[in-house]
């Protein structure tokens, strides 16, 4: 049985896992300290339930970890964004968020713009480990961050929350010689829902030893494109006809692959239409201006 909880136990835990200033600046030292916190939490979880102590330990650990990560990243200032929060927010092993890359997350007051910031070396290590252990989302993870800036999975794991990102239209963007940048318009969704108008802007920027990933909702800019809407309606009609045929023939069990093929083919035509027609839309100039403005925020301007 565990000992009765006392507030000083939390302070002792945090102090006992402290690092020197030199080590604190190292992303690897940060990772080591976070792992020690998680091991301590795992040990406490195996003891009789004590929700209050667990919460206190986690909050104290997160505050210490965020301080160390902030020192590793150096000064950060993003116009219009609130104070940073630690990401992932969960420290207990086994939680879904615990496997996400480590960084700081900023958001604006309207919760329309989110930034994820991580040390370049730390994120590159995480990418390489994902390639070794899983390889599904980041099969080219060993090639580094720059090679994965156009990978939609990068935006899922950093600013996706509980949704997944799908790129619909890569967007042209000028950037400086000392930075790598990728911008795209796409969709965040919890399910593979087809025929969604892309109304979320994402940008990935690698510069100054940091990875900065941005997500911004732009429903106020992007409007439906009639030619593409017609394709979406046509695709939905195909899906309805197929489902009606399946019900009439009473063959539900073996139709998933066929249905998925119909939806995927129709959705690909819808997205190709958007890619082709978007630059011709009257709001395209406003869209590219929003891209430049968001990149300026990411640069700290």
């Amino acid at each position: 049985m565990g000992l009765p909880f006392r507030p000083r136990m939390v302070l002792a835990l945090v102090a006992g896992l402290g690092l020197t200033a030199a080590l604190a600046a190292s992303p690897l030292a940060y990772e080591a300290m976070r792992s020690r916190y998680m091991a301590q939490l795992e040990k406490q979880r195996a003891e009789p339930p004590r929700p209050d102590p667990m919460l206190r330990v986690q909050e104290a650990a997160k505050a210490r970890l965020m301080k160390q990560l902030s020192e590793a990243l150096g000064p950060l200032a993003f116009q219009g964004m609130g104070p940073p929060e630690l990401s992932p927010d969960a420290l207990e092993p086994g939680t879904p968020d615990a496997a996400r890359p480590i960084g700081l997350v900023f958001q604006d007051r309207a919760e329309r713009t989110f930034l994820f910031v991580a040390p370049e070396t730390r994120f590159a290590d995480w990418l390489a480990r994902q390639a070794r252990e899983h390889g599904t989302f980041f099969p080219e993870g060993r090639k580094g961050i720059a090679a994965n800036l156009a990978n939609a999975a990068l935006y899922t794991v950093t600013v996706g929350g509980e949704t997944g990102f799908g790129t619909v239209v890569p967007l042209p963007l000028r950037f400086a010689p000392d930075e790598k940048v990728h911008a795209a318009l796409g969709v965040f969704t919890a399910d593979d829902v087809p025929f969604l108008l892309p109304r979320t802007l994402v940008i990935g920027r690698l510069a100054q030893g940091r990875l900065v990933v941005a997500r911004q909702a732009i429903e106020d800019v992007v409007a439906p494109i009639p030619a593409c809407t017609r394709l979406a309606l046509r695709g939905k009609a195909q899906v309805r006809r197929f489902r009606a045929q399946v019900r009439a023939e009473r063959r539900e069990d073996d139709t998933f692959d066929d249905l998925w093929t119909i939806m995927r083919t129709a959705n690909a035509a819808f997205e190709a239409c958007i890619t082709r027609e978007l630059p011709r839309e009257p709001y395209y100039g406003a869209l590219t201006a929003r891209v430049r403005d968001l990149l300026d925020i990411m640069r700290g301007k």
Side-chain angles (χ1 to χ4, degrees):
M1 180 178 292
L3 297 173
F5 172 73
R6 296 290 184 272
R8 65 170 63 95
M9 291 174 60
V10 175
L11 299 178
L13 171 62
V14 175
L17 294 177
L19 299 176
T20 65
L23 285 176
S26 165
L28 294 179
Y30 167 83
E31 173 72 6
M33 187 172 69
R34 180 176 183 273
S35 297
R36 292 171 68 183
Y37 278 132
M38 293 179 72
Q40 176 67 19
L41 290 168
E42 181 72 7
K43 180 181 177 182
Q44 284 194 243
R45 189 167 62 175
E47 297 176 354
R50 296 180 296 171
D52 186 58
M54 289 286 288
L55 178 62
R56 291 177 183 237
V57 169
Q58 286 206 55
E59 292 305 312
K62 284 158 57 176
R64 181 67 171 168
L65 291 171
M66 191 162 77
K67 179 178 182 295
Q68 301 293 347
L69 184 56
S70 297
E71 292 178 2
L73 285 166
L76 297 172
F78 302 111
Q79 184 178 3
M81 308 301 288
E85 297 181 0
L86 186 67
S87 178
D89 189 52
L91 294 181
E92 291 186 82
T95 58
D97 282 350
R100 289 181 179 269
I102 298 167
L104 298 181
V105 173
F106 300 76
Q107 68 180 41
D108 65 350
R109 182 174 297 180
E111 298 185 359
R112 294 174 61 86
T113 304
F114 298 84
L115 300 183
F116 171 90
V117 189
E120 178 180 354
T121 53
R122 176 66 193 87
F123 196 90
D125 290 343
W126 182 88
L127 268 183
R129 186 165 66 249
Q130 291 297 306
R132 289 194 306 271
E133 297 177 0
H134 306 290
T136 304
F137 286 154
F138 296 100
E140 303 297 327
R142 294 185 181 88
K143 294 184 179 180
I145 301 173
N148 282 272
L149 285 179
N151 186 340
L154 180 76
Y155 304 93
T156 295
V157 300
T158 55
V159 292
E162 297 181 356
T163 62
F165 180 69
T167 299
V168 177
V169 186
L171 297 171
L173 186 60
R174 293 182 180 180
F175 50 89
D178 60 347
E179 63 180 355
K180 301 291 184 183
V181 179
H182 174 77
L185 190 63
V187 173
F188 281 95
T189 176
D191 301 300
D192 293 321
V193 180
F195 314 121
L196 294 178
L197 185 66
R199 286 179 162 174
T200 304
L201 170 64
V202 297
I203 302 179
R205 178 178 185 261
L206 185 63
Q208 300 171 312
R210 304 170 186 144
L211 169 68
V212 183
V213 180
R215 168 183 179 174
Q216 186 175 83
I218 54 171
E219 297 95 336
D220 57 323
V221 176
V222 178
I225 302 172
C228 306
T229 300
R230 287 193 291 272
L231 286 177
L233 293 174
R234 189 182 304 167
K236 292 177 182 179
Q238 287 180 294
V239 171
R240 286 195 301 270
R241 285 196 298 270
F242 179 78
R243 285 175 169 164
Q245 180 181 351
V246 167
R247 286 194 298 270
E249 297 175 359
R250 298 183 179 181
R251 54 182 187 93
E252 294 284 350
D253 295 338
D254 60 346
T255 59
F256 178 80
D257 289 343
D258 292 337
L259 177 61
W260 180 248
T261 299
I262 292 172
M263 293 177 63
R264 184 174 54 189
T265 302
N267 189 64
F270 169 70
E271 293 185 351
C273 177
I274 293 174
T275 301
R276 181 179 64 252
E277 298 295 329
L278 188 69
R280 306 173 187 173
E281 290 298 297
Y283 57 77
Y284 188 72
L287 171 60
T288 54
R290 186 69 66 89
V291 174
R292 293 192 297 269
D293 290 344
L294 182 54
L295 181 57
D296 281 345
I297 292 174
M298 299 168 69
R299 287 169 171 161
K301 293 186 177 181

